[in-house]
Amino acid sequence: MEPLVGLIQDSSLVEIELLLATFILCSLLGIERQIRQKSAGYRTHVLVGLGSCAFTLVSAYGFSTVLADEVNLDPSRIAAQIVSGIGFLGAGVIFKGHNVVRGLTTAATVWVAAAVGMACGAGMLSLGIGLTGLHLLTLFVIAPLVRRLPDPDRKRMLRIIYTDGAGVLRDVLAAATSMGFTSSIQNSRRITDDGEKRVVMDIRFEGKPPLRELIPPVMELDGVRRVALKQEMEDDEEDDYF
């Protein structure tokens, strides 16, 4: 009795080995994203890697039962379509709102998972392993070190003068949070200016966007009178008011 056509091929053992290698490497990528609670987690990265590996294996070993001596196939054509098609999946995890873009790292990780799958599918296990190692090194070791580089905004804060009793502080903190900033109040005092009771408050904001990008949204809030970009330990006369 002849074996089923396509069930067992000369390359079957190699294909299973490469799929297992893809599964292990992409699992490492997905676990990192899962731990950080990102939108594309373990399942997405493993499935992207396995799919890319499968497409590459089809490109490399497929169609053997229908090929004739006069038929030539380009094994790079399917791989090229993976590169272009994975961009749509990556774009789906990128979100933009209030001048803040989120999901770029996750989209890049999905892109890397596809590359790992393609490398394993092409039999380039050393490339897949090296790519996975460098990816994890970048996220777990180098990225935290980069965040410790000197940042001019770390010694800056905003001095905001606003009308007292109008709920302005709540709106300021909400605007900052929507742009990805975390805030901590350093000090505050009440004054009377032009017959109006006002609050002078120094707030430190931390986040990825430059601190100056927060000034226009704060200035547009009702009740905000003045905003100053203030250097730590500076005198009031040196404040840069807007």
Side-chain angles (χ1 to χ4, degrees):
M1 182 177 180
E2 296 183 359
L4 295 176
V5 176
L7 180 60
I8 299 177
Q9 300 289 336
D10 294 337
S11 60
S12 295
L13 185 60
V14 175
E15 293 166 4
I16 294 176
E17 176 186 352
L18 297 179
L19 280 173
L20 288 176
T22 301
F23 174 79
I24 294 172
L25 296 177
C26 290
S27 291
L28 296 176
L29 303 181
I31 289 173
E32 183 273 332
R33 291 285 92 185
Q34 190 76 33
I35 291 174
R36 298 177 187 270
Q37 297 181 331
K38 300 301 181 180
S39 55
Y42 175 81
R43 292 176 299 177
T44 300
H45 286 81
V46 170
L47 293 177
V48 166
L50 290 176
S52 299
C53 179
F55 280 126
T56 305
L57 289 172
V58 170
S59 183
Y61 299 107
F63 315 109
S64 60
T65 58
V66 297
L67 287 179
D69 294 336
E70 69 276 6
V71 178
N72 294 318
L73 294 178
D74 180 6
S76 66
R77 293 187 64 183
I78 294 180
Q81 296 303 314
I82 297 174
V83 174
S84 59
I86 201 66
F88 292 96
L89 184 59
V93 299
I94 299 176
F95 302 94
K96 182 179 183 302
H98 298 285
N99 298 322
V100 179
V101 179
R102 299 181 183 276
L104 289 177
T105 301
T106 300
T109 305
V110 171
W111 184 264
V112 171
V116 169
M118 291 175 64
C120 292
M124 305 172 69
L125 287 180
S126 59
L127 175 60
I129 294 172
L131 179 57
T132 302
L134 290 175
H135 175 84
L136 296 177
L137 177 68
T138 300
L139 293 183
F140 282 111
V141 179
I142 299 179
L145 294 177
V146 170
R147 284 195 289 268
R148 295 189 179 186
L149 292 176
D151 183 356
D153 283 344
R154 290 186 178 181
K155 293 186 177 181
R156 293 176 178 173
M157 63 183 72
L158 289 186
R159 170 163 290 182
I160 304 174
I161 302 177
Y162 61 88
T163 303
D164 190 15
V168 180
L169 179 59
R170 180 184 63 250
D171 296 336
V172 169
L173 298 181
T177 301
S178 67
M179 292 185 63
F181 288 99
T182 59
S183 55
S184 59
I185 299 174
Q186 303 300 303
N187 55 74
S188 65
R189 68 179 187 272
R190 285 179 169 81
I191 62 173
T192 300
D193 191 8
D194 294 334
E196 181 183 60
K197 292 183 179 181
R198 298 177 180 177
V199 176
V200 180
M201 182 171 292
D202 294 335
I203 307 177
R204 186 183 304 282
F205 296 95
E206 297 180 358
K208 290 185 178 180
L211 187 56
R212 284 185 173 271
E213 292 187 6
L214 180 59
I215 295 176
V218 172
M219 287 290 298
E220 294 176 357
L221 296 175
D222 293 334
V224 173
R225 302 308 179 190
R226 285 190 294 178
V227 178
L229 185 60
K230 179 180 175 63
Q231 291 285 349
E232 193 172 21
M233 303 301 293
E234 264 191 353
D235 293 330
D236 293 348
E237 291 77 13
E238 297 179 2
D239 293 345
D240 188 7
Y241 277 101
F242 295 86

